[in-house]
Amino acid sequence: MKEKTIKTLADIAKMANVSQSTVSRALRNNPLVSQKTRDFVQQLAQEHNFSVNATASKLRTQKTHTIAVIVMFDQNTEQSISDPFLMKLLGTIADELTKFGYDMLLTTTKTATGDWNNYYFESRRADGLIIVGQGEHDPRIEALGSNDVPFVVWGTEFANKNYTTIGSDNRKGGYLAVKHLIDKGCKNIAFMGDIEHNELEQRWLGYLDACNEAGLEPDPALRIKTDLTSNDGYQQIKNFLEGQQQKIDAIFAVSDTIALGVMKYLHEQKIAIPKEIAIIGFDDIAMSAFSSPSLTTVRQNTTAAGELLVSKVLKKIEHKPIKSKLLEVELIVRQSSEQT
């Protein structure tokens, strides 16, 4: 015979001998409640045909239990949400939000409205925002900061900014990459990326740091503006080399996707990597280890990044103080910069 249906959180809390808030968290699988208690409460709910009315719960608590994640894209870029680095970071964010009983609302600046405060907070679509990337100095982030709403940014920290950032030490990453190439005897090192992007500008500054330290005069002609895609990496190195500009012996690409496009073109032209041109990327996406030759790259800690972005925004929702954090990077040396 079917068990009697119970109607409220109070009913199940009484049966489980716990508080209503504990029941609510347990039913959302919140790790703040022990696994044993979660299992017990969920079993009681199942036995008594109890389910949470999500809409009513949101009205009572004035919370959506949803975090909006906005991925910053410039209008002219061909980069998409399927970019391997972005997919890895977003996957970590999604997993982490699930642990805390939150849903993820994913969008990009190609479709997102201009008034983020009104769209996400005033209309109660989300409790907080995670913004991935800062684009080309987007003013909408500044507007959010002045409204004192809960959000964090994956990107570069700037002085006198009124918001919290989590980001890799991009300048150090650029320095490590170019120093490695210089240590290998390279002197004419091309930089492939677009320094209008805050994070990529930091990688360019790291490039300059390594050149200055080694007494090399950076050549502006070796800075090749490149979109964050393999297609543009392929096309830009093709244009550069076919234009009979000065010779290069190495390339620092600001992303692995760019580097992989470059490697495809060099392979087609039978230009030996790294004997004739050494290559280093940035990100350490999965394909980097399996390309031929395998790609030397600067690894970003996406696991730590996703965990910190989620923990910071949840603390901000609870009106707790949060600080920006700079994550360490690591040079991963593989065949594309090493003679075998």
Side-chain angles (χ1 to χ4, degrees), residues 274-331:
K275 184 177 181 180
E276 294 178 76
I277 298 180
I279 303 175
I280 294 184
F282 206 105
D283 292 334
D284 194 30
I285 63 174
M287 280 298 297
S288 299
F290 296 98
S291 62
S292 182
S294 57
L295 178 63
T296 296
T297 185
V298 177
R299 176 179 292 165
Q300 299 196 75
N301 191 339
T302 52
T303 300
E307 291 174 351
L308 278 169
L309 287 166
V310 170
S311 67
K312 296 283 187 182
V313 77
L314 295 185
K315 285 181 180 178
K316 187 73 172 175
I317 290 170
E318 296 172 358
H319 306 288
K320 295 179 180 179
I322 58 175
K323 294 182 179 180
S324 296
K325 176 74 173 179
L326 195 64
L327 299 175
E328 283 294 322
V329 293
E330 180 184 2
L331 180 68

Side-chain angles (χ1 to χ4, degrees), residues 157-193:
E157 181 180 8
F158 296 101
N160 304 318
K161 295 296 182 181
N162 55 352
Y163 54 84
T164 302
T165 60
I166 304 297
S168 294
D169 193 339
N170 289 289
R171 186 165 185 164
K172 181 178 179 181
Y175 167 80
L176 290 175
V178 178
K179 182 180 186 303
H180 173 72
L181 293 171
I182 292 171
D183 289 345
K184 292 295 175 183
C186 301
K187 297 184 182 301
N188 300 302
I189 304 168
F191 175 93
M192 297 187 68

Side-chain angles (χ1 to χ4, degrees), residues 209-225:
D209 290 341
C211 288
N212 292 335
E213 181 182 83
L216 295 178
E217 184 68 29
D219 185 346
L222 296 184
R223 193 176 75 198
I224 306 169
K225 186 175 181 179

Side-chain angles (χ1 to χ4, degrees), residues 26-242:
L27 292 176
R28 296 199 311 271
N29 212 30
N30 191 315
L32 294 175
V33 178
S34 70
Q35 186 66 55
K36 182 179 179 180
T37 301
R38 277 184 276 163
D39 291 343
F40 180 55
V41 170
Q42 290 170 13
Q43 182 180 352
L44 281 176
Q46 184 177 10
E47 290 175 353
H48 291 273
N49 305 306
F50 178 82
S51 61
V52 177
N53 184 322
T55 302
S57 176
K58 289 176 183 178
L59 290 173
R60 286 195 303 273
T61 64
Q62 297 298 301
K63 287 189 175 183
T64 66
H65 292 289
T66 298
I67 300 297
V69 179
I70 304 175
V71 182
M72 304 286 290
F73 287 129
D74 298 323
Q75 291 298 321
N76 297 325
T77 185
E78 293 184 5
Q79 189 186 23
S80 71
I81 209 77
S82 61
D83 178 281
F85 174 76
L86 290 177
M87 288 292 288
K88 189 175 180 182
L89 179 59
L90 292 172
T92 303
I93 292 171
D95 289 343
E96 199 66 14
L97 285 172
T98 299
K99 289 180 185 178
F100 289 95
Y102 278 80
D103 295 323
M104 183 171 82
L105 173 63
L106 180 62
T107 188
T108 76
T109 47
K110 291 182 179 180
T111 57
T113 179
D115 187 350
W116 291 346
N117 181 57
N118 182 64
Y119 185 80
Y120 291 105
F121 295 107
E122 297 299 328
S123 62
R124 301 195 184 283
R125 284 181 170 85
D127 299 330
L129 291 180
I130 294 174
I131 300 169
V132 178
Q134 296 156 302
E136 297 179 355
H137 310 278
D138 197 298
R140 288 172 291 188
I141 302 177
E142 291 293 332
L144 275 183
S146 63
N147 283 311
D148 193 32
V149 294
F151 78 101
V152 294
V153 176
W154 168 255
T156 300
E157 181 180 8
F158 296 101
N160 304 318
K161 295 296 182 181
N162 55 352
Y163 54 84
T164 302
T165 60
I166 304 297
S168 294
D169 193 339
N170 289 289
R171 186 165 185 164
K172 181 178 179 181
Y175 167 80
L176 290 175
V178 178
K179 182 180 186 303
H180 173 72
L181 293 171
I182 292 171
D183 289 345
K184 292 295 175 183
C186 301
K187 297 184 182 301
N188 300 302
I189 304 168
F191 175 93
M192 297 187 68
D194 183 354
I195 66 169
E196 292 299 317
H197 295 260
N198 296 323
E199 292 169 282
L200 309 187
E201 180 185 31
Q202 291 297 307
R203 295 172 196 178
W204 167 246
L205 292 175
Y207 171 105
L208 296 179
D209 290 341
C211 288
N212 292 335
E213 181 182 83
L216 295 178
E217 184 68 29
D219 185 346
L222 296 184
R223 193 176 75 198
I224 306 169
K225 186 175 181 179
T226 312
D227 193 17
L228 288 165
T229 65
S230 293
N231 284 340
D232 207 44
Y234 179 97
Q235 190 60 50
Q236 293 305 326
I237 196 61
K238 179 177 186 291
N239 294 344
F240 182 87
L241 294 178
E242 289 182 355

